[in-house]
Amino acid sequence: QAQLVESGGGLVQPGGSLRLSCVASGLTFRRYYMSWYRQAPGKERELVAGISSSGSTNFADSVKGRFTISRDNDKSMVWLEMNILKPEDTAVYYCRAELTVLGSEFDYWGQGTQVTVSS
């Protein structure tokens, strides 16, 4: 049974930094496209950043230059480094693992970790 577990959320002041971690189990991690999503109260879930199995990355415009995403395939982990945090970054952050192979789709989500940016 595949499982993703996030950690690292919390309360931080504007301008501060946080590092979110996601550890995967029960799947061949190195094959999966990994991404971070977030959902603020009353808003739809949105893509924050993604990283391919080879390390190619993409970011939402709202976080470019402030957030970085990285992965370690040997540790089955992905991280989201968040800097210069703003109140509008407040949300529940989710880790996602996606793989499409031979027409079959595999899609797993973590339970989420709360990030609150407030003074």
Side-chain angles (χ1 to χ4, degrees), residues 47-109:
L47 175 67
V48 176
I51 184 166
S52 71
S53 56
S54 62
S56 298
T57 59
N58 72 290
F59 297 90
D61 288 343
S62 59
V63 307
K64 282 182 180 176
R66 300 189 297 123
F67 290 12
T68 58
I69 186 171
S70 59
R71 66 188 291 164
D72 185 326
N73 289 334
D74 292 333
K75 295 181 179 179
S76 296
M77 292 189 70
V78 60
W79 296 272
L80 184 68
E81 184 77 35
M82 306 184 293
N83 299 308
I84 316 175
L85 282 161
K86 305 175 181 180
E88 51 263 43
D89 294 317
T90 295
V92 177
Y93 284 71
Y94 298 90
C95 178
R96 182 184 189 186
E98 301 170 82
L99 173 67
T100 299
V101 58
L102 299 177
S104 295
E105 296 183 356
F106 301 87
D107 191 356
Y108 304 104
W109 291 83

Side-chain angles (χ1 to χ4, degrees), residues 13-76:
Q13 292 185 342
S17 299
L18 276 177
R19 188 190 196 206
L20 305 183
S21 301
C22 172
V23 58
S25 60
L27 53 82
T28 307
F29 181 83
R30 64 181 67 250
R31 299 182 67 185
Y32 281 74
Y33 184 87
M34 300 300 299
S35 52
W36 288 93
Y37 283 71
R38 66 187 181 187
Q39 188 166 20
K43 295 187 177 181
E44 294 188 353
R45 193 172 295 188
E46 63 175 357
L47 175 67
V48 176
I51 184 166
S52 71
S53 56
S54 62
S56 298
T57 59
N58 72 290
F59 297 90
D61 288 343
S62 59
V63 307
K64 282 182 180 176
R66 300 189 297 123
F67 290 12
T68 58
I69 186 171
S70 59
R71 66 188 291 164
D72 185 326
N73 289 334
D74 292 333
K75 295 181 179 179
S76 296

